[in-house]
Amino acid sequence: MLFKFIVCFVAGIGAGLGTGFAGMSAAAVISPMLITFLGMEPYAAVGIALASDVLASAISAYTYGKNKNLDIKNGLVMMAAVLIFTVIGSFVSSKVPSHTMGGFSTVMTLLLGIKFIVRPVMTTKESMVTADPKTRFIKSAISGCIVGFICGFVGAGGGMMMLLLLTSVLGYELKTAVGTSVFIMTFTAFTGAASHFMIGGTPDPAAFVFCILSTLLWARVAARFANKAEPKTLNRAVGIVLTILGAGILTVNILT
């Protein structure tokens, strides 16, 4: 039980920091940790990871929203598109030959981390306001379709794809991008967790509770720090967290 607590607590640290700082899905960190060190069945591990993501993303979204770093209107548009195209992507994926794409999310996390360190996002809220609302609405819908399809087809990468598109395509400043990302992830993670538990049954109670509490704690810590940080500091923090997590998960995957 002590070993299980340690594994879940460490997994929660990585998942919480990734969620609070960068809107990253907890599944990218928690799943490989539970599978590798606790020998948990992959489907059950993903369910626990998604459940951990729900409260962590919700508390992060609340913190970002409280600091006016959340775009709910366009976030809802993107969320609707993500949910619809996740189903479409999953259906298409079931009809084509399977490929090994498990490393997609991990590699993307690592590269995005390096990107934030080398080329930080320095867009300001003032420049965001000048964007045409109709154009942003259309871009939000298209971006949601892309993220959803990739999530459904590949099975990973949603949080990272959203952060990339929100900053690069929609021109969001980093705090608003992360805030909007975790807002969307709250609902997508809840949908995923509910479906996993309905199909796969009740998860390991201890791992379930340990992972949720640890992820929630560290997501809260990261979100509070992120909303108080200067843009350059936040870019570096996001970059460092993503790079370390990406490298760490990649190492675990290679060792196993």
Side-chain angles (χ1 to χ4, degrees):
M1 183 65 72
L2 178 60
F3 180 70
K4 182 181 291 186
F5 171 78
I6 293 173
V7 171
C8 293
F9 185 72
V10 173
I13 293 175
L17 292 179
T19 299
F21 274 125
M24 179 180 174
S25 172
V29 180
I30 292 178
S31 298
M33 290 282 287
L34 297 183
I35 294 168
T36 302
F37 297 107
L38 298 182
M40 191 174 290
E41 195 267 327
Y43 195 83
V46 172
I48 290 176
L50 289 170
S52 303
D53 215 356
V54 176
L55 290 180
S57 294
I59 194 65
S60 297
Y62 170 77
T63 304
Y64 279 92
K66 188 177 179 181
N67 288 275
K68 296 180 171 42
N69 293 316
L70 171 60
D71 184 357
I72 294 179
K73 179 182 176 181
N74 290 295
L76 288 172
V77 174
M78 182 178 285
M79 180 177 68
V82 168
L83 293 174
I84 293 171
F85 274 80
T86 295
V87 176
I88 295 174
S90 180
F91 175 77
V92 173
S93 179
S94 68
K95 299 297 181 182
V96 299
S98 60
H99 295 87
T100 303
M101 302 181 75
F104 175 83
S105 180
T106 302
V107 173
M108 186 173 178
T109 299
L110 180 61
L111 294 178
L112 197 57
I114 296 173
K115 183 262 182 191
F116 278 115
I117 295 174
V118 177
R119 294 189 63 185
V121 177
M122 298 306 291
T123 307
T124 62
K125 285 190 176 182
E126 288 72 20
S127 62
M128 280 181 59
V129 175
T130 61
D132 178 50
K134 185 178 180 180
T135 301
R136 175 159 287 165
F137 179 91
I138 295 172
K139 285 183 177 180
S140 296
I142 294 174
S143 296
C145 294
I146 295 172
V147 172
F149 186 83
I150 290 176
C151 285
F153 190 81
V154 180
M160 292 299 91
M161 280 296 298
M162 271 192 281
L163 185 62
L164 180 62
L165 291 173
L166 286 168
T167 54
S168 301
V169 178
L170 277 81
Y172 280 40
E173 56 94 25
L174 187 54
K175 291 180 183 179
T176 305
V178 176
T180 305
S181 178
V182 290
F183 171 73
I184 296 170
M185 289 300 294
T186 302
F187 298 94
T188 56
F190 177 80
T191 303
S195 63
H196 266 70
F197 296 146
M198 287 177 64
I199 296 171
T202 306
D204 181 305
F208 179 78
V209 173
F210 292 157
C211 285
I212 286 179
L213 292 180
S214 180
T215 306
L216 178 63
L217 169 65
W218 291 101
R220 174 65 169 160
V221 171
R224 291 188 68 178
F225 173 84
N227 279 277
K228 294 178 180 179
E230 293 295 321
K232 185 174 289 187
T233 302
L234 181 58
N235 271 274
R236 287 175 179 169
V238 170
I240 292 171
V241 168
L242 292 181
T243 301
I244 292 175
L245 289 176
I249 299 168
L250 192 61
T251 302
V252 169
N253 290 338
I254 291 174
L255 292 176
T256 55

